[in-house]
Each structure stands twice: as C-alpha cells, then as structure tokens.
Amino acid sequence: MRDIINGFLRFQQDVFPARKELFKTLATGQTPKALFISCSDSRMVPELVTQREPGDLFVIRNAGNIVPSFGPEPGGVSATVEYAVAQLRVSDIVICGHSDCGAMKAVATCACLDHMPAVRNWLHHTDAARMINESREHPTEQDRIDGMVRENVIAQLNNIRTHPSVAVALAQGRLALHGWVYDIESGSILALDTATNTFVPLAEHPSARGIEAEQA
C-alpha cells in the first residue's frame, strides 16, 4: 500500500501541476469518444495500450471483458453501457480480450470453480463462446485457450447488440463496434474484421471493419 500512496504523492506533486489545465477542463464534464470494455487483469491497462489521455475513454473492466445480454434485471455493466451510448453518445465501442486471460483459461479447460461461485456464475455469460470453441479442433491446449479468448470477444459483441441503447445507436448510424485481442508479451493487437470474420493484426490493418450501422 505504501507504493500506491507514494505514487499518488508523485502524481500530486509532479504530474498534476504539469497537466493542470487538462484537469481544469475535465473538472466540469467529460466527452469521451469511445467506450472501452476490457478485462480487470492488472496487465491490461486500456489508457496505456491506446495512449489515451484522461477524459478520452469511458471504461468498463471486469473478469473476462464480459457484457451480459440485456435482461429484465440489468446490472452495472448494462447501466454503464447505456450511459455511455445514450448520454455520453460515444461513437465507438471496443471489446478487448487479452492473452493469458485467467477467466478464459478456466472456461476453456473446464477448471473447477466451486470455490468461487460468483466467478463460476459470471462466466456463464461465455457459454455461447465456449460451445463454439469446443466444437472446433485445437492442436494444443494453448490453441484452445487462445480460441476461447477470440470467441468470447465475438460473443460479447453479439451480447452488447441486445442492449436497446446500442441497437438504437447502430440504427441511427452513429455507433460502431470493434473486437480486439491484446497480446501481453508482444504488445500487438488483433482486430476482428467482420468483412472476413477473422482476426487480423491491427498494425497492418488499421481500417479493419467492425460492426457498423449498415450491419445492424
């Protein structure tokens, strides 16, 4: 905890004064352009990976970068998505998985989660991805895990489209959805290209087509 406190003190004494005007602007409102949904994993930091400033991203982080389908009892994820799209009117949503994801590894390897019932129940939102992944051949266990990470991104993109605010924004032509997978070791990102339904290197395909209004 001391390291965290010392970090704050360095921020207060050194970083904040140098960025005072930025924070003054942000003190009375926010206008983020994108909603970024990623895993809570400590190795995945959306603002670092995308090199965004405070105020640029509206962020949801949870175990497995999951977006439950819209239902009669929407929770915190649903409320945050709705606020981002209906109130803040973000123009893009990114759902970003990552390599070596503990949640996806547990699902792909059928790990026993009886000692973590809340995690076990939460991961039921990956059932569609799990069944698709299990229907395919995987040469190695690592391939099976990597496949689960990718299929989960696709499944969560499908889930988020069940949210009324997202459906409306897509129909109005003011929102695009993107699926990414971040590789921790290499720092690279694979992006889902819906034109080919494959994941391609984002650095080589910066215009990889996400889910846009005409596909809604």
Side-chain angles (χ1 to χ4, degrees):
M1 191 63 199
R2 175 52 59 184
D3 289 341
I4 295 175
I5 294 172
N6 287 340
F8 161 69
L9 294 176
R10 287 195 301 274
F11 167 78
Q12 187 179 55
Q13 295 165 8
D14 302 326
V15 177
F16 184 86
R19 312 297 299 282
K20 190 173 181 179
E21 289 305 312
L22 171 62
F23 290 110
K24 183 178 180 179
T25 301
L26 294 174
T28 55
Q30 60 172 328
T31 55
K33 303 303 181 186
L35 169 61
F36 200 100
I37 302 172
S38 69
C39 188
S40 296
D41 193 296
S42 61
R43 300 165 294 177
M44 175 58 200
V45 183
E47 293 85 355
L48 177 63
V49 170
T50 60
Q51 289 294 282
R52 293 295 82 204
E53 294 277 19
D56 288 343
L57 296 180
F58 202 63
V59 177
I60 297 174
R61 297 181 68 177
N62 61 52
N65 42 273
I66 287 170
V67 182
S69 297
F70 192 81
E73 296 182 5
V77 173
S78 297
T80 306
V81 169
E82 186 173 81
Y83 187 81
V85 176
Q87 181 65 29
L88 298 178
R89 298 179 74 83
V90 297
S91 59
D92 294 274
I93 297 176
V94 178
I95 297 181
C96 186
H98 67 91
S99 61
D100 196 47
C101 178
M104 295 306 103
K105 187 182 297 184
V107 174
T109 62
C110 299
C112 178
L113 297 174
D114 289 346
H115 61 302
M116 292 189 288
V119 173
R120 180 188 61 209
N121 291 338
W122 176 248
L123 292 181
H124 281 311
H125 294 294
T126 70
D127 282 351
R130 175 181 56 79
M131 293 183 70
I132 292 172
N133 197 51
E134 288 179 353
S135 72
R136 297 188 170 136
E137 294 293 329
H138 302 284
T140 67
E141 183 173 274
Q142 187 60 55
D143 289 325
R144 181 181 298 109
I145 295 169
D146 293 344
M148 185 64 209
V149 171
R150 292 190 296 270
E151 290 298 338
N152 181 58
V153 168
I154 295 171
Q156 304 315 317
L157 285 170
N158 290 332
N159 285 351
I160 203 169
R161 296 180 72 184
T162 68
H163 291 240
S165 60
V166 173
V168 168
L170 284 169
Q172 292 176 343
R174 62 178 180 86
L175 182 67
L177 310 180
H178 312 271
W180 290 2
V181 173
Y182 169 64
D183 184 78
I184 295 170
E185 184 174 3
S186 69
S188 62
I189 287 177
L190 294 177
L192 177 64
D193 185 352
T194 56
T196 61
N197 202 35
T198 59
F199 282 86
V200 297
L202 185 60
E204 299 171 18
H205 303 271
S207 299
R209 184 172 177 178
I211 298 172
E212 301 171 346
E214 59 265 30
Q215 295 177 278

mmCIF file of all heavy atoms in Angstrom, residues 82-119:
data_model
loop_
_atom_site.group_PDB
_atom_site.id
_atom_site.type_symbol
_atom_site.label_atom_id
_atom_site.label_comp_id
_atom_site.label_asym_id
_atom_site.label_seq_id
_atom_site.Cartn_x
_atom_site.Cartn_y
_atom_site.Cartn_z
ATOM 1 N N GLU A 82 -25.365 1.768 -21.214
ATOM 2 C CA GLU A 82 -26.470 2.664 -21.541
ATOM 3 C C GLU A 82 -26.073 4.127 -21.357
ATOM 4 O O GLU A 82 -26.378 4.981 -22.212
ATOM 5 C CB GLU A 82 -27.673 2.337 -20.665
ATOM 6 C CG GLU A 82 -28.930 3.108 -20.993
ATOM 7 C CD GLU A 82 -30.105 2.601 -20.180
ATOM 8 O OE1 GLU A 82 -30.222 3.008 -19.003
ATOM 9 O OE2 GLU A 82 -30.884 1.785 -20.709
ATOM 10 N N TYR A 83 -25.377 4.432 -20.285
ATOM 11 C CA TYR A 83 -24.954 5.806 -20.029
ATOM 12 C C TYR A 83 -23.966 6.277 -21.094
ATOM 13 O O TYR A 83 -24.062 7.406 -21.596
ATOM 14 C CB TYR A 83 -24.330 5.923 -18.633
ATOM 15 C CG TYR A 83 -24.026 7.350 -18.240
ATOM 16 C CD1 TYR A 83 -25.030 8.183 -17.751
ATOM 17 C CD2 TYR A 83 -22.741 7.873 -18.369
ATOM 18 C CE1 TYR A 83 -24.770 9.501 -17.404
ATOM 19 C CE2 TYR A 83 -22.461 9.192 -18.033
ATOM 20 C CZ TYR A 83 -23.475 9.994 -17.538
ATOM 21 O OH TYR A 83 -23.208 11.300 -17.203
ATOM 22 N N ALA A 84 -23.036 5.401 -21.432
ATOM 23 C CA ALA A 84 -22.027 5.769 -22.432
ATOM 24 C C ALA A 84 -22.660 6.067 -23.786
ATOM 25 O O ALA A 84 -22.276 7.021 -24.468
ATOM 26 C CB ALA A 84 -20.999 4.652 -22.570
ATOM 27 N N VAL A 85 -23.630 5.241 -24.171
ATOM 28 C CA VAL A 85 -24.214 5.361 -25.511
ATOM 29 C C VAL A 85 -25.330 6.409 -25.561
ATOM 30 O O VAL A 85 -25.367 7.244 -26.470
ATOM 31 C CB VAL A 85 -24.749 3.994 -25.986
ATOM 32 C CG1 VAL A 85 -25.451 4.121 -27.333
ATOM 33 C CG2 VAL A 85 -23.611 2.984 -26.079
ATOM 34 N N ALA A 86 -26.230 6.375 -24.582
ATOM 35 C CA ALA A 86 -27.396 7.262 -24.620
ATOM 36 C C ALA A 86 -27.105 8.659 -24.098
ATOM 37 O O ALA A 86 -27.660 9.643 -24.610
ATOM 38 C CB ALA A 86 -28.545 6.644 -23.826
ATOM 39 N N GLN A 87 -26.243 8.781 -23.097
ATOM 40 C CA GLN A 87 -25.961 10.078 -22.506
ATOM 41 C C GLN A 87 -24.680 10.715 -23.055
ATOM 42 O O GLN A 87 -24.690 11.848 -23.529
ATOM 43 C CB GLN A 87 -25.865 9.953 -20.980
ATOM 44 C CG GLN A 87 -25.585 11.260 -20.256
ATOM 45 C CD GLN A 87 -26.713 12.272 -20.393
ATOM 46 O OE1 GLN A 87 -27.882 11.907 -20.545
ATOM 47 N NE2 GLN A 87 -26.380 13.557 -20.358
ATOM 48 N N LEU A 88 -23.588 9.953 -23.000
ATOM 49 C CA LEU A 88 -22.323 10.496 -23.483
ATOM 50 C C LEU A 88 -22.195 10.421 -25.002
ATOM 51 O O LEU A 88 -21.369 11.106 -25.591
ATOM 52 C CB LEU A 88 -21.156 9.752 -22.831
ATOM 53 C CG LEU A 88 -21.065 9.876 -21.310
ATOM 54 C CD1 LEU A 88 -19.901 9.043 -20.780
ATOM 55 C CD2 LEU A 88 -20.916 11.328 -20.877
ATOM 56 N N ARG A 89 -23.001 9.561 -25.618
ATOM 57 C CA ARG A 89 -23.061 9.420 -27.075
ATOM 58 C C ARG A 89 -21.689 9.117 -27.681
ATOM 59 O O ARG A 89 -21.235 9.777 -28.627
ATOM 60 C CB ARG A 89 -23.691 10.662 -27.716
ATOM 61 C CG ARG A 89 -25.132 10.878 -27.275
ATOM 62 C CD ARG A 89 -25.743 12.120 -27.893
ATOM 63 N NE ARG A 89 -26.054 11.929 -29.311
ATOM 64 C CZ ARG A 89 -27.162 11.356 -29.768
ATOM 65 N NH1 ARG A 89 -28.061 10.861 -28.919
ATOM 66 N NH2 ARG A 89 -27.371 11.246 -31.067
ATOM 67 N N VAL A 90 -21.052 8.101 -27.125
ATOM 68 C CA VAL A 90 -19.781 7.661 -27.689
ATOM 69 C C VAL A 90 -20.021 7.166 -29.115
ATOM 70 O O VAL A 90 -21.106 6.677 -29.447
ATOM 71 C CB VAL A 90 -19.128 6.543 -26.840
ATOM 72 C CG1 VAL A 90 -18.801 7.051 -25.443
ATOM 73 C CG2 VAL A 90 -20.023 5.303 -26.768
ATOM 74 N N SER A 91 -19.016 7.294 -29.958
ATOM 75 C CA SER A 91 -19.164 6.885 -31.356
ATOM 76 C C SER A 91 -18.614 5.487 -31.621
ATOM 77 O O SER A 91 -18.889 4.909 -32.681
ATOM 78 C CB SER A 91 -18.464 7.890 -32.273
ATOM 79 O OG SER A 91 -17.088 7.987 -31.943
ATOM 80 N N ASP A 92 -17.839 4.956 -30.671
ATOM 81 C CA ASP A 92 -17.246 3.635 -30.852
ATOM 82 C C ASP A 92 -17.248 2.865 -29.533
ATOM 83 O O ASP A 92 -17.082 3.450 -28.460
ATOM 84 C CB ASP A 92 -15.805 3.755 -31.352
ATOM 85 C CG ASP A 92 -15.719 4.347 -32.736
ATOM 86 O OD1 ASP A 92 -15.830 3.582 -33.711
ATOM 87 O OD2 ASP A 92 -15.560 5.581 -32.846
ATOM 88 N N ILE A 93 -17.414 1.558 -29.648
ATOM 89 C CA ILE A 93 -17.271 0.658 -28.510
ATOM 90 C C ILE A 93 -16.257 -0.412 -28.877
ATOM 91 O O ILE A 93 -16.380 -1.052 -29.927
ATOM 92 C CB ILE A 93 -18.603 -0.015 -28.117
ATOM 93 C CG1 ILE A 93 -19.630 1.035 -27.668
ATOM 94 C CG2 ILE A 93 -18.377 -1.034 -27.002
ATOM 95 C CD1 ILE A 93 -20.996 0.448 -27.346
ATOM 96 N N VAL A 94 -15.262 -0.591 -28.037
ATOM 97 C CA VAL A 94 -14.252 -1.627 -28.227
ATOM 98 C C VAL A 94 -14.415 -2.667 -27.120
ATOM 99 O O VAL A 94 -14.444 -2.325 -25.939
ATOM 100 C CB VAL A 94 -12.825 -1.054 -28.161
ATOM 101 C CG1 VAL A 94 -11.797 -2.171 -28.316
ATOM 102 C CG2 VAL A 94 -12.622 0.014 -29.221
ATOM 103 N N ILE A 95 -14.537 -3.929 -27.511
ATOM 104 C CA ILE A 95 -14.484 -5.025 -26.541
ATOM 105 C C ILE A 95 -13.146 -5.715 -26.755
ATOM 106 O O ILE A 95 -12.881 -6.242 -27.836
ATOM 107 C CB ILE A 95 -15.655 -6.006 -26.712
ATOM 108 C CG1 ILE A 95 -16.983 -5.277 -26.448
ATOM 109 C CG2 ILE A 95 -15.493 -7.200 -25.768
ATOM 110 C CD1 ILE A 95 -18.211 -6.158 -26.563
ATOM 111 N N CYS A 96 -12.312 -5.687 -25.728
ATOM 112 C CA CYS A 96 -10.924 -6.125 -25.872
ATOM 113 C C CYS A 96 -10.578 -7.262 -24.909
ATOM 114 O O CYS A 96 -10.550 -7.064 -23.691
ATOM 115 C CB CYS A 96 -9.990 -4.939 -25.627
ATOM 116 S SG CYS A 96 -8.251 -5.291 -25.952
ATOM 117 N N GLY A 97 -10.329 -8.436 -25.473
ATOM 118 C CA GLY A 97 -9.801 -9.541 -24.689
ATOM 119 C C GLY A 97 -8.287 -9.475 -24.673
ATOM 120 O O GLY A 97 -7.684 -8.569 -25.248
ATOM 121 N N HIS A 98 -7.660 -10.438 -24.022
ATOM 122 C CA HIS A 98 -6.197 -10.412 -23.970
ATOM 123 C C HIS A 98 -5.638 -11.821 -23.797
ATOM 124 O O HIS A 98 -6.338 -12.747 -23.371
ATOM 125 C CB HIS A 98 -5.712 -9.511 -22.831
ATOM 126 C CG HIS A 98 -6.041 -10.039 -21.458
ATOM 127 N ND1 HIS A 98 -5.193 -10.849 -20.745
ATOM 128 C CD2 HIS A 98 -7.137 -9.870 -20.675
ATOM 129 C CE1 HIS A 98 -5.747 -11.157 -19.580
ATOM 130 N NE2 HIS A 98 -6.928 -10.579 -19.516
ATOM 131 N N SER A 99 -4.375 -11.966 -24.110
ATOM 132 C CA SER A 99 -3.695 -13.249 -23.972
ATOM 133 C C SER A 99 -3.576 -13.638 -22.503
ATOM 134 O O SER A 99 -3.595 -12.793 -21.614
ATOM 135 C CB SER A 99 -2.299 -13.166 -24.591
ATOM 136 O OG SER A 99 -1.507 -12.184 -23.925
ATOM 137 N N ASP A 100 -3.468 -14.942 -22.249
ATOM 138 C CA ASP A 100 -3.290 -15.470 -20.896
ATOM 139 C C ASP A 100 -4.382 -14.999 -19.938
ATOM 140 O O ASP A 100 -4.132 -14.737 -18.765
ATOM 141 C CB ASP A 100 -1.909 -15.081 -20.349
ATOM 142 C CG ASP A 100 -1.516 -15.917 -19.132
ATOM 143 O OD1 ASP A 100 -1.661 -17.149 -19.187
ATOM 144 O OD2 ASP A 100 -1.071 -15.331 -18.125
ATOM 145 N N CYS A 101 -5.609 -14.909 -20.441
ATOM 146 C CA CYS A 101 -6.743 -14.482 -19.610
ATOM 147 C C CYS A 101 -7.160 -15.615 -18.683
ATOM 148 O O CYS A 101 -7.528 -16.704 -19.135
ATOM 149 C CB CYS A 101 -7.915 -14.071 -20.501
ATOM 150 S SG CYS A 101 -9.392 -13.568 -19.584
ATOM 151 N N GLY A 102 -7.092 -15.372 -17.378
ATOM 152 C CA GLY A 102 -7.428 -16.414 -16.415
ATOM 153 C C GLY A 102 -8.860 -16.890 -16.540
ATOM 154 O O GLY A 102 -9.143 -18.089 -16.401
ATOM 155 N N ALA A 103 -9.784 -15.967 -16.808
ATOM 156 C CA ALA A 103 -11.190 -16.336 -16.937
ATOM 157 C C ALA A 103 -11.406 -17.248 -18.134
ATOM 158 O O ALA A 103 -12.086 -18.281 -18.043
ATOM 159 C CB ALA A 103 -12.047 -15.077 -17.063
ATOM 160 N N MET A 104 -10.820 -16.888 -19.274
ATOM 161 C CA MET A 104 -10.997 -17.700 -20.473
ATOM 162 C C MET A 104 -10.255 -19.028 -20.365
ATOM 163 O O MET A 104 -10.694 -20.043 -20.894
ATOM 164 C CB MET A 104 -10.515 -16.930 -21.707
ATOM 165 C CG MET A 104 -11.327 -15.678 -22.011
ATOM 166 S SD MET A 104 -13.108 -15.970 -22.154
ATOM 167 C CE MET A 104 -13.693 -15.341 -20.572
ATOM 168 N N LYS A 105 -9.128 -19.024 -19.659
ATOM 169 C CA LYS A 105 -8.394 -20.262 -19.438
ATOM 170 C C LYS A 105 -9.234 -21.233 -18.605
ATOM 171 O O LYS A 105 -9.291 -22.433 -18.889
ATOM 172 C CB LYS A 105 -7.073 -19.963 -18.721
ATOM 173 C CG LYS A 105 -6.149 -21.158 -18.593
ATOM 174 C CD LYS A 105 -4.884 -20.785 -17.816
ATOM 175 C CE LYS A 105 -4.074 -19.738 -18.536
ATOM 176 N NZ LYS A 105 -2.787 -19.434 -17.829
ATOM 177 N N ALA A 106 -9.917 -20.702 -17.590
ATOM 178 C CA ALA A 106 -10.769 -21.543 -16.751
ATOM 179 C C ALA A 106 -11.908 -22.143 -17.559
ATOM 180 O O ALA A 106 -12.241 -23.326 -17.409
ATOM 181 C CB ALA A 106 -11.315 -20.718 -15.588
ATOM 182 N N VAL A 107 -12.514 -21.347 -18.431
ATOM 183 C CA VAL A 107 -13.622 -21.845 -19.252
ATOM 184 C C VAL A 107 -13.127 -22.878 -20.258
ATOM 185 O O VAL A 107 -13.731 -23.947 -20.422
ATOM 186 C CB VAL A 107 -14.308 -20.675 -19.986
ATOM 187 C CG1 VAL A 107 -15.356 -21.201 -20.962
ATOM 188 C CG2 VAL A 107 -14.952 -19.716 -18.991
ATOM 189 N N ALA A 108 -12.023 -22.575 -20.914
ATOM 190 C CA ALA A 108 -11.515 -23.453 -21.973
ATOM 191 C C ALA A 108 -11.040 -24.792 -21.444
ATOM 192 O O ALA A 108 -11.123 -25.806 -22.144
ATOM 193 C CB ALA A 108 -10.378 -22.764 -22.720
ATOM 194 N N THR A 109 -10.540 -24.813 -20.212
ATOM 195 C CA THR A 109 -10.004 -26.053 -19.640
ATOM 196 C C THR A 109 -10.964 -26.709 -18.657
ATOM 197 O O THR A 109 -10.597 -27.687 -18.003
ATOM 198 C CB THR A 109 -8.668 -25.777 -18.930
ATOM 199 O OG1 THR A 109 -8.881 -24.852 -17.851
ATOM 200 C CG2 THR A 109 -7.646 -25.191 -19.898
ATOM 201 N N CYS A 110 -12.183 -26.177 -18.579
ATOM 202 C CA CYS A 110 -13.200 -26.721 -17.663
ATOM 203 C C CYS A 110 -12.679 -26.804 -16.229
ATOM 204 O O CYS A 110 -12.897 -27.804 -15.525
ATOM 205 C CB CYS A 110 -13.672 -28.092 -18.139
ATOM 206 S SG CYS A 110 -14.448 -28.086 -19.760
ATOM 207 N N ALA A 111 -11.994 -25.772 -15.794
ATOM 208 C CA ALA A 111 -11.451 -25.746 -14.434
ATOM 209 C C ALA A 111 -12.583 -25.712 -13.416
ATOM 210 O O ALA A 111 -13.619 -25.071 -13.637
ATOM 211 C CB ALA A 111 -10.552 -24.529 -14.258
ATOM 212 N N CYS A 112 -12.386 -26.390 -12.303
ATOM 213 C CA CYS A 112 -13.379 -26.396 -11.242
ATOM 214 C C CYS A 112 -13.367 -25.037 -10.534
ATOM 215 O O CYS A 112 -12.327 -24.580 -10.048
ATOM 216 C CB CYS A 112 -13.080 -27.503 -10.240
ATOM 217 S SG CYS A 112 -14.252 -27.531 -8.840
ATOM 218 N N LEU A 113 -14.533 -24.409 -10.472
ATOM 219 C CA LEU A 113 -14.641 -23.102 -9.827
ATOM 220 C C LEU A 113 -15.608 -23.138 -8.646
ATOM 221 O O LEU A 113 -16.171 -22.106 -8.268
ATOM 222 C CB LEU A 113 -15.102 -22.057 -10.848
ATOM 223 C CG LEU A 113 -14.157 -21.805 -12.029
ATOM 224 C CD1 LEU A 113 -14.804 -20.853 -13.030
ATOM 225 C CD2 LEU A 113 -12.828 -21.241 -11.539
ATOM 226 N N ASP A 114 -15.787 -24.324 -8.061
ATOM 227 C CA ASP A 114 -16.724 -24.454 -6.950
ATOM 228 C C ASP A 114 -16.354 -23.565 -5.771
ATOM 229 O O ASP A 114 -17.217 -23.144 -4.996
ATOM 230 C CB ASP A 114 -16.809 -25.911 -6.481
ATOM 231 C CG ASP A 114 -17.524 -26.795 -7.492
ATOM 232 O OD1 ASP A 114 -18.168 -26.234 -8.405
ATOM 233 O OD2 ASP A 114 -17.427 -28.031 -7.380
ATOM 234 N N HIS A 115 -15.066 -23.281 -5.629
ATOM 235 C CA HIS A 115 -14.625 -22.437 -4.513
ATOM 236 C C HIS A 115 -14.824 -20.951 -4.816
ATOM 237 O O HIS A 115 -14.605 -20.105 -3.933
ATOM 238 C CB HIS A 115 -13.146 -22.699 -4.210
ATOM 239 C CG HIS A 115 -12.221 -22.383 -5.346
ATOM 240 N ND1 HIS A 115 -12.321 -22.966 -6.602
ATOM 241 C CD2 HIS A 115 -11.174 -21.514 -5.425
ATOM 242 C CE1 HIS A 115 -11.385 -22.491 -7.391
ATOM 243 N NE2 HIS A 115 -10.670 -21.602 -6.707
ATOM 244 N N MET A 116 -15.241 -20.626 -6.041
ATOM 245 C CA MET A 116 -15.517 -19.245 -6.426
ATOM 246 C C MET A 116 -16.871 -19.193 -7.135
ATOM 247 O O MET A 116 -16.952 -19.018 -8.359
ATOM 248 C CB MET A 116 -14.410 -18.704 -7.336
ATOM 249 C CG MET A 116 -13.072 -18.518 -6.651
ATOM 250 S SD MET A 116 -11.852 -17.645 -7.684
ATOM 251 C CE MET A 116 -11.487 -18.920 -8.908
ATOM 252 N N PRO A 117 -17.966 -19.378 -6.385
ATOM 253 C CA PRO A 117 -19.290 -19.468 -7.018
ATOM 254 C C PRO A 117 -19.688 -18.215 -7.790
ATOM 255 O O PRO A 117 -20.373 -18.304 -8.808
ATOM 256 C CB PRO A 117 -20.227 -19.727 -5.838
ATOM 257 C CG PRO A 117 -19.475 -19.252 -4.627
ATOM 258 C CD PRO A 117 -18.041 -19.526 -4.926
ATOM 259 N N ALA A 118 -19.271 -17.043 -7.337
ATOM 260 C CA ALA A 118 -19.623 -15.815 -8.047
ATOM 261 C C ALA A 118 -18.937 -15.772 -9.412
ATOM 262 O O ALA A 118 -19.544 -15.385 -10.421
ATOM 263 C CB ALA A 118 -19.243 -14.593 -7.224
ATOM 264 N N VAL A 119 -17.671 -16.178 -9.445
ATOM 265 C CA VAL A 119 -16.940 -16.230 -10.715
ATOM 266 C C VAL A 119 -17.569 -17.266 -11.637
ATOM 267 O O VAL A 119 -17.770 -17.017 -12.834
ATOM 268 C CB VAL A 119 -15.454 -16.556 -10.474
ATOM 269 C CG1 VAL A 119 -14.733 -16.770 -11.806
ATOM 270 C CG2 VAL A 119 -14.778 -15.440 -9.684
#
